[in-house]
Amino acid sequence: MNRKLIAGNWKMNLNVKESVHLAKTVAAGVSNLKDPNADVLICPAFLSLEQCGKTLKDSPVMLGAQDVCANDEGAYTGEISSAMLLSAGCEFVIIGHSERRKYYCETNETVNLKVKKALERGLKPVMCVGETLQERQDEIFEAIVGEQITEGLKEVSEDQLNFVTIAYEPVWAIGTGVNATPKQASDMHLFIRRKLSQLCSSGTAEAVRILYGGSVNAKNAKEILAAKGIDGALVGGASLKAEDFLTIISAC
Ligand code: 13P
């Protein structure tokens, strides 16, 4: 069984001052837990990363970004490179979140370019996959997620897979208050793990952490995190409230 990872995706919320305050509160809360049963990651907006990185300097709480450019540097107005994220103290980066796929037209191909670039530069990608409600109703969710996994991880070596985390986030469960049942999530995690084992040895596939995301909150976290094959959670809304986020961490 993998050590759990609880990650907070703050999305486009909080200014720098508010982000630093929340980072500080989470870090203090995690220190108070003494020996938490999980690794903890927060992913603030780009603008707040550097200050949050400073705040987390002596804390076990890790820092991640919510996206990264697939290029190294140059004329890409508005983009942020892997090197910039590393210099701000990031260890992780979320890639291919469904909101980026939906609103910014990211495809499995762009996700793959970003994953490869992040790995090449020493960032750990949290690659998001998940089906829409229509795809679930049409019963093609395994085909969709399977393709997101194989296309997103194309040309990623077995060595590099050791630094990859997958987040299964069914689109219909994000921000809706309707979480996947532990059985639905568990079944998909087992499916994803089988897909991974087609790309690498079973040992490596077992060691890749697969997080569940979609309406995880302080009330349902325990049940979801106890389900088979679930190595943690990628939390949106509930990660903006320190108390709720700490409750989710304690549920591990
Ligand atoms: P919610 O927890 O707000 O449903 O968001 C999930 C998510 O998108 C995390 O990346």
Side-chain angles (χ1 to χ4, degrees):
M1 207 169 78
N2 293 322
R3 181 173 164 83
K4 293 210 182 333
L5 171 66
I6 302 298
N9 175 8
W10 294 1
K11 307 193 179 183
M12 196 176 72
N13 293 292
L14 311 179
N15 63 26
V16 177
K17 201 169 155 205
E18 292 161 343
S19 299
V20 168
H21 178 71
L22 180 56
K24 235 181 228 167
T25 315
V26 168
V30 169
S31 307
N32 282 341
L33 291 176
K34 293 200 179 74
D35 196 11
N37 244 337
D39 295 328
V40 180
L41 168 68
I42 57 167
C43 302
F46 282 136
L47 196 63
S48 304
L49 285 173
E50 180 142 23
Q51 287 299 320
C52 287
K54 285 182 185 149
T55 304
L56 297 180
K57 208 164 157 272
D58 298 312
S59 157
V61 176
M62 302 178 290
L63 186 69
Q66 299 172 18
D67 186 27
V68 66
C69 183
N71 298 296
D72 278 322
E73 63 180 349
Y76 302 101
T77 301
E79 290 292 282
I80 305 281
S81 71
S82 298
M84 292 171 188
L85 297 182
L86 287 164
S87 76
C90 289
E91 190 176 336
F92 288 82
V93 58
I94 297 171
I95 294 177
H97 191 281
S98 64
E99 287 148 16
R100 295 220 52 91
R101 293 178 190 259
K102 181 174 174 194
Y103 303 127
Y104 305 100
C105 308
E106 290 199 7
T107 60
N108 288 335
E109 197 182 346
T110 44
V111 169
N112 177 245
L113 291 172
K114 290 181 177 196
V115 166
K116 285 190 291 188
K117 180 55 71 185
L119 286 165
E120 189 189 311
R121 295 292 165 218
L123 280 167
K124 297 172 183 162
V126 179
M127 189 181 87
C128 301
V129 298
E131 80 284 358
T132 62
L133 183 59
Q134 191 63 54
E135 288 160 350
R136 177 150 285 260
Q137 286 168 345
D138 292 347
E139 293 183 6
I140 54 168
F141 50 97
E142 287 195 348
I144 296 291
V145 171
E147 191 169 275
Q148 289 171 337
I149 293 286
T150 44
E151 295 289 308
L153 296 176
K154 208 158 138 183
E155 293 160 1
V156 171
S157 71
E158 172 140 10
D159 273 358
Q160 288 177 317
L161 270 176
N162 290 307
F163 300 97
V164 172
T165 299
I166 304 290
Y168 169 60
E169 299 204 305
V171 180
W172 47 272
I174 296 177
T176 58
V178 183
N179 59 283
T181 63
K183 164 125 180 54
Q184 284 172 325
S186 188
D187 286 350
M188 281 310 281
H189 285 223
L190 297 176
F191 168 77
I192 291 168
R193 188 119 20 230
R194 281 201 303 278
K195 271 276 150 199
L196 288 173
S197 66
Q198 293 168 4
L199 307 176
C200 59
S201 68
S202 58
T204 302
E206 282 301 323
V208 172
R209 285 198 279 210
I210 306 176
L211 315 182
Y212 167 77
S215 297
V216 175
N217 59 39
K219 287 206 179 87
N220 61 21
K222 206 172 183 121
E223 196 190 3
I224 292 171
L225 289 165
K228 198 164 184 248
I230 296 185
D231 299 321
L234 182 53
V235 186
S239 71
L240 295 169
K241 295 181 212 115
E243 201 186 324
D244 289 4
F245 193 55
L246 290 163
T247 304
I248 295 169
I249 296 163
S250 308
C252 289

